[in-house]
């Protein structure tokens, strides 16, 4: 019992210290936790009122995203301006820091919510949303690097020793978290089985509660706690022998492969870049941590030389990524690959020259993130767009002027188009240089390029339902429900092709299956046009948009009201020609006759 009491007191002190040093951060974390729990609870309450409240409060991710960004900003402020400093100017700076930290969080979240139809300084909402998404990622990484750097500077110990403390803290924190999680889930299981007859959502609430109340504050504290022992036998064995030997084996395998391609004069596999990069990301930190446990043994002297064993692999990495860029152009992924190679070179130089100042790597990494994400013209997205745009324009115009492409040029053309069509700011360019245009496809087919575009179809779904609310039947003598012809649902030769200009309905419940043929082409065209303009529209949005057009006048005495309209279709190019096919329909309505 004394052992359990001591451990509970230890956990309590950890959480208390975290709350004292990071007051605003912990409050934001708990608000985040309560918000998620409240959303889970409301989701399991069945009533019309709670459903409306849930839709209003808990179906929007904006508040969660804002709190997540603000938590990092508040942690940065409280790390930079600790509460030990009692000066008035520090208190004012801290308050201003919280306010300033909330501003970019609010702006980024606001931008992420913009839709394509909205405009902001003559920019469409999807372009602004994409920029905000990218900036949010860079903002998060910069804050995380800054927090680690500040916490290290406050610790007063060497960078390697500090990182060891953090790793040990995280390991202990995670083990305790898993034990607490097991205990909470066990208790909930007993309560659930005996009293609640399987109210399983309690498990989710338990996980959220343990994570928010213990794990998040404990992880925050793990960055500043230097009390745990890092020179115990277990830590030395795990880092110095187990992990180090495993990375040595991995490095040896890569060297055997390198020797093989040199002897056989083979081209390196495309996977070699990922393998060597992964080896660097895992092996280099382990070998750096080994430096803290260094001694005069031959094994340790050998471990200290291992980082230099990565130098001969860098040319192979450069070749692998360079070939991909030459053949297929730059993309954000390949930009990061090039940046990773530069970072490896810089890291090895810092290791060689400033072993006692390795924290400088964090500053270099932060500068790299700023360049790769924020600097106009140099960031990964600008460089990739310019490169792919050059491919698209060059080879598109070559087809128009010369009528031919090499196989490699065609692959560059198609790859550039597929990349740029997902970039909102390149929408006009893609429309101008549309490689799926029918006339352009004919030119490609005539050029004889293998694998040239012959078929490119896209699948679409339109679903409108419950479009008719209160219906005024004054002046009408007959009301009949209509179902579509069952032949539309058949398979094979018996299936009836869909023709919206003469769509076949049968009156529900009629003994002789009375047929009604209606022209639905105008309504179908409206739906397809709306779907093309709003590709992300859901069922509710579609139903609301089409509700004013559900009245189909058949003649002066007969009116059809469409209540359910669901179609699946595909369009595009097939065998070089424009293609459109309705694959399935589910349509019903109400017929009023005078």
């Amino acid at each position: 019992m004394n052992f359990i009491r001591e451990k509970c007191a230890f956990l309590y002190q950890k959480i208390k210290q975290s709350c004292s040093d990071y007051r605003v951060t912990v409050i934001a974390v708990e608000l985040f936790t309560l918000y998620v729990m409240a959303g889970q609870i409301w989701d399991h309450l069945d009533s019309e009122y709670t459903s409306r409240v849930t839709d209003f409060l808990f179906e929007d991710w904006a508040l969660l995203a804002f709190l997540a960004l603000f938590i990092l900003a508040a942690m940065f402020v409280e790390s930079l301006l600790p509460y030990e400093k009692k000066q008035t100017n520090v208190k004012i700076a801290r308050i201003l820091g919280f306010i300033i930290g909330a501003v970019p969080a609010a702006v980024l979240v606001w931008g992420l919510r913009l839709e394509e139809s909205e405009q902001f300084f003559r920019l469409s909402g999807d372009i602004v949303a994409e920029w905000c998404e990218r900036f949010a990622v860079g903002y998060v990484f910069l804050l995380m690097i800054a927090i680690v750097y500040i916490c290290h500077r406050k610790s007063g110990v060497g960078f390697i020793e500090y990182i060891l403390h953090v790793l040990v803290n995280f390991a202990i924190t995670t083990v305790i978290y898993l034990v607490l999680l097991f205990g909470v889930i066990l208790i909930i299981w007993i309560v659930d089985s005996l009293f609640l007859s399987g109210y399983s959502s309690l498990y989710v609430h338990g996980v959220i509660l343990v994570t928010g109340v213990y794990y998040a504050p404990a992880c925050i504290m793990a960055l500043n706690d230097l009390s745990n022992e890092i020179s115990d036998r277990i830590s030395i064995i795990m880092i110095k022998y187990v992990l180090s030997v495993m990375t040595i084996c991995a490095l040896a395998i890569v060297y055997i492969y390198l020797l093989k391609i040199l002897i056989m004069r083979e081209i390196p596999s495309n996977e070699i870049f990922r393998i060597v990069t992964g080896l660097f990301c895992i092996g280099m930190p382990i070998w750096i941590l080994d430096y803290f446990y260094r001694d005069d043994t031959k094994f340790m002297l050998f471990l200290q030389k291992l980082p230099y064993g990565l130098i001969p692999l860098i040319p192979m990495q450069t070749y692998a990524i360079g070939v991909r860029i030459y053949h297929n152009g730059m993309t954000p992924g390949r930009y990061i690959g090039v940046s990773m190679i530069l970072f490896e070179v810089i890291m090895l130089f810092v290791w060689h020259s400033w072993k006692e100042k390795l924290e400088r790597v964090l500053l270099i990494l932060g500068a790299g993130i700023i360049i790769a994400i924020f600097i106009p013209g140099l960031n990964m997205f600008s460089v990739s767009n310019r490169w792919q745009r050059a491919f698209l324009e060059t080879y598109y115009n070559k087809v128009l002027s010369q009528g031919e492409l090499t196989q490699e040029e065609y692959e560059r053309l198609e790859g550039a188009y597929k990349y740029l069509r997902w970039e909102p700011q390149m929408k006009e360019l893609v429309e101008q240089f549309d490689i799926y245009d029918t006339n352009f496809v004919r030119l490609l087919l005539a050029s004889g390029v293998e694998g040239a575009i012959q078929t490119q179809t896209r699948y679409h779904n339109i679903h409108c339902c419950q479009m008719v609310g209160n219906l005024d039947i004054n002046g009408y003598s007959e009301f009949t429900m209509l179902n579509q012809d069952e032949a539309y649902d058949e398979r094979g030769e018996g299936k009836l092709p869909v023709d919206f200009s003469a769509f076949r309905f049968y009156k529900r419940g009629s003994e002789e299956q009375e047929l009604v043929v209606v022209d639905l082409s105008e309504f179908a065209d409206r739906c397809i046009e709306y779907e093309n303009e709003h590709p992300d529209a859901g069922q509710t949005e579609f139903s609301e948009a089409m509700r004013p057009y559900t009245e189909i006048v058949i003649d002066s005495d007969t009116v059809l009201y469409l209540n359910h309209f669901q179609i699946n279709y595909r369009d595009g190019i097939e065998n070089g020609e424009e293609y459109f096919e309705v694959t399935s329909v589910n349509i019903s309505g109400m017929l009023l006759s005078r």
Side-chain angles (χ1 to χ4, degrees), residues 147-209:
I147 290 168
V148 173
Y149 183 80
I150 292 170
C151 290
H152 160 254
R153 299 293 291 181
K154 285 167 49 181
S155 69
V157 299
F159 186 67
I160 299 176
E161 182 179 352
Y162 171 75
I163 293 299
L164 277 168
H165 275 291
V166 172
L167 290 176
V168 171
N169 292 340
F170 273 120
I172 295 173
T173 297
T174 302
V175 170
I176 296 173
Y177 169 70
L178 293 176
V179 171
L180 286 174
L181 207 57
F182 174 79
V184 169
I185 291 176
L186 179 62
I187 292 171
I188 290 175
W189 175 73
I190 295 172
V191 174
D192 184 40
S193 301
L194 296 178
F195 298 102
L196 301 177
S197 301
Y199 185 53
S200 59
S201 65
L202 282 178
Y203 295 102
V204 178
H205 301 154
V207 172
I208 294 170
L209 195 61

Side-chain angles (χ1 to χ4, degrees), residues 15 106 158 167 230 292 298 303 308 332 353 422 444 452 459 571 573 582:
I15 297 173
L167 290 176
I230 60 173
F292 181 79
K298 291 182 179 180
L303 287 181
Y308 302 116
S353 304
W422 299 110
L444 279 177
Y459 288 86
D571 63 358
I573 293 171
V582 179

Side-chain angles (χ1 to χ4, degrees), residues 152 155-169 222-223 225-231 239 288-294 355-356 358-359:
H152 160 254
S155 69
V157 299
F159 186 67
I160 299 176
E161 182 179 352
Y162 171 75
I163 293 299
L164 277 168
H165 275 291
V166 172
L167 290 176
V168 171
N169 292 340
L223 294 173
D225 185 13
L226 303 181
S227 62
N228 286 314
E229 180 62 47
I230 60 173
S231 297
I239 295 175
I288 288 174
L289 295 178
D290 284 331
Y291 186 73
F292 181 79
Y293 300 113
R294 64 189 182 277
K355 286 186 178 67
E356 306 301 328
L358 283 176
E359 66 273 11

Side-chain angles (χ1 to χ4, degrees), residues 399-419:
V399 172
L400 295 182
S401 60
Q402 302 178 21
E404 61 181 19
L405 285 179
T406 65
Q407 187 66 34
E408 183 179 66
E409 289 172 339
Y410 166 71
E411 291 173 359
R412 289 175 177 171
L413 171 70
E414 186 180 29
Y417 180 87
K418 289 181 176 179
Y419 170 82

Side-chain angles (χ1 to χ4, degrees), residues 75-367:
M75 191 172 176
F76 170 75
V77 172
E78 291 179 308
S79 297
L80 185 64
L81 302 169
Y83 289 95
E84 289 85 358
K85 297 180 180 180
K86 304 295 185 180
Q87 299 93 327
T88 303
N89 59 338
V90 175
K91 294 180 181 179
I92 295 173
R94 195 183 298 121
I95 293 172
L96 289 175
F98 293 138
I99 296 172
I100 294 172
V103 171
V107 171
L108 289 172
V109 170
W110 167 82
L112 288 170
R113 289 171 52 97
L114 290 177
E115 297 181 357
E116 182 180 357
S117 57
E118 300 177 88
Q119 293 288 318
F120 181 74
F121 287 108
R122 297 184 179 180
L123 294 173
S124 64
D126 57 339
I127 294 177
V128 177
E130 184 183 41
W131 286 351
C132 287
E133 181 180 354
R134 294 169 178 176
F135 290 162
V137 172
Y139 180 66
V140 167
F141 278 118
L142 285 177
L143 283 177
M144 293 172 65
I145 292 171
I147 290 168
V148 173
Y149 183 80
I150 292 170
C151 290
H152 160 254
R153 299 293 291 181
K154 285 167 49 181
S155 69
V157 299
F159 186 67
I160 299 176
E161 182 179 352
Y162 171 75
I163 293 299
L164 277 168
H165 275 291
V166 172
L167 290 176
V168 171
N169 292 340
F170 273 120
I172 295 173
T173 297
T174 302
V175 170
I176 296 173
Y177 169 70
L178 293 176
V179 171
L180 286 174
L181 207 57
F182 174 79
V184 169
I185 291 176
L186 179 62
I187 292 171
I188 290 175
W189 175 73
I190 295 172
V191 174
D192 184 40
S193 301
L194 296 178
F195 298 102
L196 301 177
S197 301
Y199 185 53
S200 59
S201 65
L202 282 178
Y203 295 102
V204 178
H205 301 154
V207 172
I208 294 170
L209 195 61
V210 174
T211 304
V213 173
Y214 167 71
Y215 193 59
C219 286
I220 293 172
M221 197 59 207
L223 294 173
N224 297 280
D225 185 13
L226 303 181
S227 62
N228 286 314
E229 180 62 47
I230 60 173
S231 297
D232 63 294
R233 185 174 179 80
I234 296 177
S235 300
I236 294 174
I237 291 174
M238 284 299 298
I239 295 175
K240 190 175 178 179
Y241 297 106
V242 178
L243 295 178
S244 296
V245 170
M246 292 174 67
T247 55
I248 290 171
C249 293
L251 183 62
I253 293 171
V254 174
Y255 262 96
I256 292 171
Y257 174 77
L258 177 60
L259 184 63
K260 172 180 174 287
I261 64 173
L262 289 176
I263 294 174
M264 306 296 293
R265 296 184 180 181
E266 297 176 348
I267 297 175
S269 167
N270 288 332
E271 297 298 322
I272 194 62
F273 176 82
R274 297 177 185 176
I275 293 171
V276 175
T277 302
L279 178 60
F280 180 90
C281 294
I282 296 172
M284 191 69 188
I286 293 172
W287 300 332
I288 288 174
L289 295 178
D290 284 331
Y291 186 73
F292 181 79
Y293 300 113
R294 64 189 182 277
D295 52 37
D296 295 330
T297 62
K298 291 182 179 180
F299 179 70
M300 182 51 65
L301 293 175
F302 173 69
L303 287 181
Q304 292 180 44
K305 301 297 182 182
L306 278 177
Y308 302 116
L310 294 169
I311 294 176
L313 303 181
I314 292 177
M316 189 164 57
Q317 277 182 289
T318 305
Y319 173 82
I321 196 70
V323 168
R324 298 296 298 274
I325 293 173
Y326 173 77
H327 286 292
N328 302 307
M330 185 67 76
T331 62
R334 292 168 197 147
Y335 185 103
I336 293 174
V338 174
S339 302
M340 189 62 200
I341 294 174
L342 293 174
F343 178 74
E344 290 175 18
V345 174
I346 294 171
M347 182 69 196
L348 290 170
F349 176 78
V350 172
W351 167 256
H352 177 76
S353 304
W354 302 309
K355 286 186 178 67
E356 306 301 328
K357 295 289 184 180
L358 283 176
E359 66 273 11
R360 295 179 180 180
V361 173
L362 294 177
L363 301 178
I364 296 170
L365 190 58

